[in-house]
Amino acid sequence: MFAFLVMNTCNDLSQNADTLMGKTTETNSQKLSTPFGMRSDPQPRWDVLKILNFVAVLSFILSVVKFASDFSAYVADSSTLVIFLGVWSGFLCYFLGFFGMSFIDHDEILAGSSSMSSELCQKKIEKVAINVKEVKSLTKSTKSASFEKETFASPKKNPLHPPAAETPVCTAAGSVVPTTRSSGKSEKTLFAPAGNDALSMTNAGIATLVCENKIKDHTLEKRFNSDRVVLIRRMVFEKTLATLGPSVALDSLSSAAPECDNFYERIHGANCEIVVGYVPLPVGVVGPLTLNGETVYVPMATTEGCLIASTNRGCKAISSGEGAFCSILNDGITRAPCVRLPSARRAAELAIWCGVSDNFAKLKAAFESTTSFGKLLEAKPTVAGRNVYIRLKCFSGDAMGMNMVSKGSLAAIDLLKSCFPEMILVALSGNMCTDKKAAATNWIEGRGKSVVAEATIPRKVVEATLKTTVKAIVDTNINKNL
């Protein structure tokens, strides 16, 4: 207690002296903004504590020396021994309570206290700033509410168009009677369904009739020359799009037929419906490529820059070696209709029926009646309860052949219905084809063209043409794909 009083008394006396001399005390706000180590409020007197430590240690040593100088006499005198023990107990209490504090770095304590005080002050200042900012933003939002309402108001929505009264149907190529250009036979001799009055009307007049749904859009090719139909249909869509707002969607789309005989007539019924023009696509040439001991050049249509250049670089690397060797192992596009029978027994009977060679010949004839190029190669049924998935495999020539095999599959299903009247077609594609997705059946059975290709590129060619090394290619492939 004595040491504590001594440590604080001097500071209190100096503070009272400052007050008597007329110095003003710090306000609460000043105390908050002043670091702890620099404030004038009471603090421990570290210099006094150090002096007391030296005095206590020196006194303790002297008492021990005095006791040791006449040890036998002090031990024999009980009253003197009690005095020594009492003094030593006082020293021990002091050492336990205050002596260790002299080894503490009080400058570090003051610095830590100062930083804590600064952080508290900074948090309070930030809190006040946030409150002020919220008040300002609330005032600003109140003032600009009407402005934002007018500026950021959602635009007026255009009226929705009703669904189309009718939609075009897919027609087989060659099913539509071809027309001639205006330089050949007149439209009157080719088409009569609309009458002579419609044929003599202007394109704008016919477009008005189409907009009024008096002439169906998808029947225009049956009534008029295909080149003229494109111009009429563009007028129709320009009027239709105008109801949604200003539009220049068709302005940059080419409509004049390119230098190709019967361009639009050849498209109708085979490639595209509701035609309003075409988009020219640049075509590049890849090659020379040495393939199976022969030189080939490959045309490639693309809008992707660097594709032709990088492909040519690969062709150069392959041809600089022994060339490439390629073999087609399997060639056939597939479609697997799903049909349902009344019972699993009848489903099994249908599957067995498809396996008979004479019956397959009937399916093949029905299938190939819809196409001039497609050839039915296989009909493989899979039974799952009352459902049967008939995987039809078709050779499609140079075409990918999905429309071809779909039309042929419908004809095959019609033949099966004549033999199994209770059969129901669940879906033309039963998802065992399998189209547009990875499937185990495609890996096992194959779909489309199954090809094996091989090429050996010498090390020097890899370094000179491909600008890399064989080891780098192998390492990259392992890290990316394995």
Side-chain angles (χ1 to χ4, degrees), residues 50-67:
K50 287 183 179 181
I51 295 174
L52 287 176
N53 286 338
F54 284 114
V55 173
V57 171
L58 182 61
S59 301
F60 177 75
I61 293 174
L62 291 176
S63 65
V64 172
V65 171
K66 181 174 180 60
F67 183 80

Side-chain angles (χ1 to χ4, degrees), residues 10 17-18 26 36 102 106 110 137 140 144 147-148 152 169-170 174 248 256 274 297-298 315 334 354 399 416 442 480:
C10 296
D18 291 341
E26 295 174 320
F36 182 78
S102 64
H106 57 277
L110 293 177
S137 62
K140 184 178 180 180
S144 61
F147 172 75
E148 291 181 354
F152 300 102
V169 294
C170 295
V248 293
I274 315 297
Y297 290 84
V298 182
C315 291
T334 58
C354 292
L416 286 174
N442 289 348
K480 288 179 63 175

Side-chain angles (χ1 to χ4, degrees), residues 394-410:
C394 165
F395 173 75
S396 58
D398 293 334
M400 190 272 182
M402 280 315 304
N403 290 337
M404 182 188 301
V405 71
S406 297
K407 294 175 183 177
S409 298
L410 281 175

Side-chain angles (χ1 to χ4, degrees), residues 330 378 380 391 393 440-447 450:
N330 200 355
E378 183 183 52
K380 185 175 181 180
R391 197 169 192 262
K393 182 179 178 181
T441 185
N442 289 348
W443 285 100
I444 298 170
E445 301 290 343
R447 186 171 191 267
S450 299

Side-chain angles (χ1 to χ4, degrees), residues 61-110:
I61 293 174
L62 291 176
S63 65
V64 172
V65 171
K66 181 174 180 60
F67 183 80
S69 63
D70 198 1
F71 175 77
S72 57
Y74 290 134
V75 171
D77 188 358
S78 59
S79 59
T80 306
L81 182 62
V82 170
I83 294 173
F84 273 104
L85 293 177
V87 172
W88 289 342
S89 297
F91 283 126
L92 181 62
C93 292
Y94 176 81
F95 292 151
L96 293 177
F98 293 96
F99 184 76
M101 294 178 64
S102 64
F103 297 99
I104 298 176
D105 189 354
H106 57 277
D107 293 334
E108 182 178 353
I109 294 176
L110 293 177

Side-chain angles (χ1 to χ4, degrees), residues 171-185:
T171 54
S175 63
V176 178
V177 179
T179 64
T180 60
R181 288 181 170 272
S182 57
S183 59
K185 296 182 181 180

